[in-house]
Amino acid sequence: MGAFLSTPKAWPAVLTGRVAALASDPGDLDAAVRAGAFEGLRVAVRDLGATGTIATVASSGLRGRGGAGFPAGEKWRAAANGPAGTRYVVANGYGADPAVRTDATLMAADPWIVVEGLAIAAFAIGATEAIIAVRAEDTALVTRLEGAILAAEEAGYLGDDMLGSGHGVTITVRPVQGAYMLGEETVLLKALEGKRGQPEQRPPFPTERGLFGMPTVVNNVQTLAAVPFIVRDRGAAFSAIGAPGSPGTILVQLRGPEGAGIAEVPLGTPLRELVKLAGGIGSRSLKALLVGGPTGGLLPADLLDTPYDFDSLRAVGAHIGSGSVVIADDRACVVDLARLLTKFSADEACGKTIPCRIGLRRLYEIGDRVASGRPKPTDMALMADLAADVVASGLCDHERLATLPFTSGMRYFRSELDDHLLRSTCPAGVCHPIAVGAGASTPGSR
Amino acid sequence: MSLVPGMGIVRGMGLTLRRFFAPKATIKWPEQQADVAPKFRGRLQLLYDEYGTLKCETCFQCAQACPIECIDMGGIDTKGRFHVHWGPPETYGERREESAIRRSGRPVADAAFRRFDPIDTAALDAILERHDYDPMAMLAILEETQAEYGYLPVGALKHISRITGAWYAMIYGTATYYRHLRFEPPTVDAAPAGEAHRAIEHAYRSALDASLGVGGRAG
């Protein structure tokens, strides 16, 4: 599982720092402790206390790595301030994007960092139950995590009396499967409750009424993995890494014509550097970057200097999303790509709200008729209207973001869309539009 | 009867002339309102778009609103798996088909309209006892039931509903939502975990690769 790409020496390794030391056996507790595991938990329990830990995480500026970028410290504080009773912490390691394996790879290479982050979070908000949700098909990963939790309990790091703090936490691994939407936090909670996976209206947020109606913190695996580093150095070293608005590092799944892999990069790294990490673009010219997975935005080559962080990407019409960056050269067609992504989003929609269930389906159908050479003259305006309506009336981020492939395509690749719409041609030669002009009725490739 | 030439046309024109002065059915809507029953909602029609695709979304809003319940429809759900109906699914098909057969005058064959195949519930009871009859563990109960019986028989869902107190509709909703839960016996033996969803994800990955011209798959 040594699947991490090597990054420049100067780049900090917050998440993957221990991977090399654990390369021979990631399940070895002694080796992990020698490499610094559970030091953060010790600092949190002995020196900081629960409120001190939350304050440290809040001051470090850690933002949720699940895609939305919500400040983790605020989330913890909201849950900690809730009414007393059972509280839950859930580590979301489902990793919904089928082309991205960052979370699972991290947990397999260093299960301790996630377990420790989860223990610190549970200690900070006063949760007695912690759950790691992983994909059911990763049976090896489930076994490894369960082994790690058992070993840590026997060594006294977890269990009824965590490091002598008097606070007890039970960590369970819950394999979940069967739907793409499980990556969304309220959907994951529904699945853990044994209900159908459909998102809930917010507020109330899960920090107020979450799993089984109790205050629940749902954090991505990478968010929790950054917590030990933050607590160990009291947040100062972490804030220094990355962009001002979004400190820290993130795992990126790169995929390009010349190479692919997972790399840990500081937030705020320009997209150009990410392309270089993936082996460059080869002899062809770069056409578009798909940033953010199936619901990501398509960015043109002249936006390569955009920093890879939450706010900058949102501003240009993309998002961190699943942490996937796909490099497309001039063989790719933007309309075809956006159609494929929208179809995936529409197929995977849970069907709770009408803008998502019907709106995304219609968006795909309009894109499909544009790509197959049967466009209507008003299709561009229709797509823009429909996308705006879906965004305005969406319930969860899935549908709001699922319009991004087409909206960013219309924003940056207008001439290519015009070729499809007005001239029924595909510059990349991917789509096979039928020539509808001049009464021609035979299908032609160009 | 009469053989006088031109008499037929005179009779025909006579009818025309009578109708000409008779009261008309056409009204000046909307200034004038037609006198129809308050329940009347116009003619039922299924519309097709210009590509020949049925415009009906099977949203059941018409069936829900219909005061005399004359609208029903059947279809498949968004996963292409199961028939959807307005009303309780386990009674719907029976009611419809039986009445259709009765109206046609044929005798109704009772055995064909058993509600569901009876199952041996001993194994299911053991599963429920392991989970303390707790509806909060429904997903685990359903997964173990499927592992035991190979699929989710309607009888098993009914039994779970009766024993745990969870609504049948909720259990049915959960079972239809997740791709790895099935209502028919599997075609291949013992599919590994996540298989149902993996095929879709693999299709997505290869389609993405194909559209990008990228050959290799990531780690």
Side-chain angles (χ1 to χ4, degrees), chain A residues 98 177 195 197 255 362 376, chain B residues 50 57 177-178 194 205 209:
Chain A
Q177 60 174 330
K195 294 179 182 165
R255 195 178 179 79
R362 291 286 167 271
K376 294 180 184 176
Chain B
E50 60 269 43
E57 291 285 349
Y177 180 79
Y178 294 96
R205 271 195 299 264
D209 283 347

Side-chain angles (χ1 to χ4, degrees), chain A residues 114-349:
Chain A
V114 180
V115 171
E116 185 186 358
L118 199 55
I120 295 174
F123 169 73
I125 68 161
T128 48
E129 299 274 335
I131 294 167
I132 308 181
V134 294
R135 281 179 171 251
E137 64 253 42
D138 285 343
T139 42
L141 179 60
V142 174
T143 318
R144 176 164 296 174
L145 282 170
E146 278 173 347
I149 291 163
L150 201 65
E153 272 177 6
E154 280 175 2
Y157 293 110
L158 307 171
D160 295 338
D161 188 14
M162 224 159 61
L163 284 174
S165 64
H167 182 80
V169 63
T170 320
I171 302 185
T172 44
V173 181
R174 286 285 294 272
V176 289
Q177 60 174 330
Y180 168 81
M181 288 300 292
L182 291 171
E184 210 268 349
E185 60 174 3
T186 54
V187 173
L188 181 65
L189 295 182
K190 288 277 175 209
L192 295 179
E193 287 176 357
K195 294 179 182 165
R196 76 171 86 178
Q198 292 183 325
E200 278 294 300
Q201 185 125 27
R202 275 161 288 189
F205 289 93
T207 49
E208 196 182 315
R209 199 166 340 134
L211 191 60
F212 302 124
M214 298 299 173
T216 307
V217 165
V218 185
N219 276 141
N220 184 267
V221 162
Q222 290 181 50
T223 320
L224 291 169
V227 168
F229 183 92
I230 294 169
V231 172
R232 212 158 50 219
D233 293 353
R234 308 288 201 278
F238 186 81
S239 317
I241 304 167
S246 20
T249 62
I250 191 164
L251 293 177
V252 180
Q253 175 93 49
L254 299 160
R255 195 178 179 79
E258 297 295 311
I262 298 169
E264 180 179 7
V265 301
L267 286 164
T269 309
L271 292 174
R272 194 181 298 281
E273 295 279 325
L274 301 183
V275 174
K276 212 182 285 171
L277 271 181
I281 190 66
S283 55
R284 290 171 171 272
S285 63
L286 189 143
K287 182 172 199 175
L289 282 184
L290 171 64
V291 182
T295 59
L298 292 156
L299 301 181
D302 50 352
L303 283 176
L304 270 181
D305 289 319
T306 312
Y308 188 79
D309 66 48
F310 295 102
D311 306 323
S312 312
L313 286 179
R314 285 279 177 152
V316 297
H319 64 121
I320 296 245
S322 60
S324 127
V325 174
V326 181
I327 301 152
D329 59 22
D330 53 9
R331 283 171 293 186
C333 167
V334 166
V335 180
D336 183 56
L337 198 53
R339 169 178 69 153
L340 166 74
L341 299 171
T342 311
K343 178 166 196 304
F344 180 76
S345 297
D347 283 350
E348 294 287 356

